[in-house]
Amino acid sequence: MQLDSTITCPICGRQATETMPTDACQFLYACKGCGAVLKPKAGDCCVFCSYGDAPCPPIQEANAHGRAAGCCSGA
């Protein structure tokens, strides 16, 4: 399981590698470049799934076991 994801700000393009939480979804992320507060895109469960280069741990786990999942659904 990959626990680090590089988030790219859609406003200023700044990239930052962050460690994803394994026990919760991260709904907000403040860009360290421009200060924009990022929220998940429609249909995504968290900022890592929307702006990161790796999906969040619950989605990775579901994909590895071939099942559908929603972040923090316990599935």
Side-chain angles (χ1 to χ4, degrees):
M1 175 145 339
Q2 183 174 341
L3 297 180
D4 290 332
S5 181
T6 300
I7 290 183
T8 302
C9 178
I11 308 297
C12 71
R14 186 176 195 281
Q15 295 184 321
T17 300
E18 305 288 350
T19 300
M20 296 181 278
T22 58
D23 60 348
C25 292
Q26 186 165 338
F27 297 107
L28 301 174
Y29 177 80
C31 175
K32 294 172 183 161
C34 67
V37 177
L38 307 181
K39 296 178 183 177
K41 295 177 185 176
D44 284 343
C45 61
C46 66
V47 293
F48 293 106
C49 288
S50 292
Y51 305 105
D53 64 355
C56 65
I59 298 299
Q60 290 180 52
E61 180 76 15
N63 290 342
H65 292 97
R67 63 179 188 250
C71 187
C72 299
S73 69

